[in-house]
Amino acid sequence: MKFYPYKRLNRPIALRVTSASLQLPDGSWDHLDTSAYSTQQRTVALGVAQHEDWVSARIGLSATLPPGANAPDAPWRELRVLAVLTDGETNVRTAVDLRRDAPESKEWSGAIEVFRDDHVGRAALAAHAVATVDEVPGRAIAETDEDWTVDVAAEEPLGGLRLDVKQTSFSKSAREWLHAYADAPWIVDASGRLPTVLVNTDIEGFSDLLGGASGGLESKVHEMLVSQMATDVWTAVFHSSVGDLEVEPDGSPIFPTDWQGEVLREMLPDVVPGVHVEEALRQVHRRRTGDAGWVELQTRIHYAAVRRAGASRALANALRGLQQMNRGDRA
């Protein structure tokens, strides 16, 4: 634990990546979609578009300061918020000022430039709030508690939603509520500390297929099953996350601080595209608790889940496997 001889904010800055684009040698920009970055994993994968010769990347950022940052009696002035990218391998350090979205807002946004020649692998991205405190300028009053990773070569933000996967007999389980789902291959339980996928061992051969140890077409079927399961998981955890939101006195929803908050920040850009993630949450909350709009939003929620689960890639791989098998049979 660090001790400071001056007042600071007692909670961390929430930093999010909101966009990513690559500048190509001809000066054009390739705007990457949301699969290039993962809020859950705090990772940006700049190799997702498979451009070998990109020149620089522009990463859009949004930072939320903790409560008290704009308090009238705050013991600081000249508040600034900086995004800092640090590469330990090349000793390159880049810092940019973020802009306050509106007067007295806790939201700050901007972009940081990543030059391809300055990096060989991974760099750490953090946010820092600095201000003049006790007449000393440049004192740190808050920062992110966990860095983002910017990977200049990775083709996907590795990881995914943290899950607890358990195999059990639904018909004989001590969890009596599972008996009603004895014919289901899996069930998602999003009520715990982490979302849990319960796999039904009553379905003969299903657990072995999910193991995915074999090759050939069987491995492609395994991949499709896993992507379908992941789609169900993302859909279930999104609904769980928006189903019990705390609200401010004015009715504005508050982002959860656990995995549910991470799920929302991950999926909302696809559920309500084109707006700030906080505004997206407000729109979803209004639709869910209001008289209209919630049913129409289900298509976007399913689309966001499908993208996060990699269902299109799994389907394409399975189709290629079938085509190869058919060609082999005709040969």
Side-chain angles (χ1 to χ4, degrees), residues 57-68:
R58 183 176 297 149
I59 299 174
L61 301 171
S62 176
T64 304
L65 297 190

Side-chain angles (χ1 to χ4, degrees), residues 227 230-231 234-235 267 301-312:
S227 71
T231 299
W234 280 107
T235 303
M267 294 182 69
I301 295 171
H302 182 258
Y303 169 71
V306 165
R307 294 194 66 188
R308 290 295 171 277
S312 296

Side-chain angles (χ1 to χ4, degrees), residues 16 39 53 64 90 94 103 114 123 137-138 171 182 199 253 283 292 297 299 303:
R16 296 169 299 283
T39 303
D53 55 353
T64 304
T90 60
T94 305
V114 182
S171 62
V199 176
Q283 290 189 26
L297 204 61
T299 301
Y303 169 71

Side-chain angles (χ1 to χ4, degrees), residues 160-217:
L161 182 63
R162 295 187 297 271
L163 300 173
D164 184 12
V165 180
K166 296 179 179 178
Q167 298 193 17
T168 185
S169 167
F170 284 17
S171 62
K172 302 174 184 177
S173 175
R175 300 179 177 90
E176 293 187 1
W177 62 270
L178 277 178
H179 298 175
Y181 306 104
D183 59 345
W186 64 78
I187 290 291
V188 181
D189 180 7
S191 62
R193 185 181 60 85
L194 286 178
T196 300
V197 180
L198 299 169
V199 176
N200 190 0
T201 58
D202 292 337
I203 299 178
E204 186 176 355
F206 182 55
S207 296
D208 293 336
L209 185 58
L210 282 179
S214 61
L217 185 60

Side-chain angles (χ1 to χ4, degrees), residues 243-261:
D244 192 26
L245 291 171
E246 295 183 26
V247 296
E248 301 274 13
D250 64 358
S252 299
I254 301 172
F255 268 100
T257 57
D258 56 5
W259 63 264
Q260 293 180 324

Side-chain angles (χ1 to χ4, degrees), residues 12-171:
I13 298 172
L15 178 65
R16 296 169 299 283
V17 169
T18 58
S19 64
S21 56
L22 299 178
Q23 186 182 34
L24 305 181
D26 62 1
S28 64
W29 287 87
D30 184 1
H31 299 281
L32 307 181
D33 63 29
T34 56
S35 64
Y37 49 92
S38 167
T39 303
Q40 177 75 13
Q41 296 301 312
R42 290 185 172 84
T43 300
V44 183
L46 295 178
V48 66
Q50 298 184 339
H51 291 297
E52 297 289 341
D53 55 353
W54 59 272
V55 178
S56 66
R58 183 176 297 149
I59 299 174
L61 301 171
S62 176
T64 304
L65 297 190
N70 302 324
D73 58 348
W76 47 73
R77 54 187 174 85
E78 299 172 345
L79 178 64
R80 298 170 62 196
V81 177
L82 304 173
V84 181
L85 183 71
T86 305
D87 192 323
E89 292 188 63
T90 60
N91 290 324
V92 171
R93 183 181 176 91
T94 305
V96 296
D97 277 283
L98 301 183
R99 303 177 305 278
R100 197 193 303 261
D101 288 357
E104 303 307 315
S105 173
K106 294 187 297 183
E107 308 297 329
W108 297 63
S109 60
I112 194 165
E113 204 86 3
V114 182
F115 292 96
R116 183 65 181 90
D117 289 344
D118 289 342
H119 305 279
V120 296
R122 293 184 154 207
L125 178 62
H128 300 265
V130 298
T132 297
V133 186
D134 297 335
E135 301 307 318
V136 178
R139 281 184 156 173
I141 63 169
E143 56 278 316
T144 44
D145 60 350
E146 187 174 347
D147 291 346
W148 276 71
T149 297
V150 178
D151 194 317
V152 300
E155 295 182 8
E156 60 178 320
L158 296 176
L161 182 63
R162 295 187 297 271
L163 300 173
D164 184 12
V165 180
K166 296 179 179 178
Q167 298 193 17
T168 185
S169 167
F170 284 17
S171 62

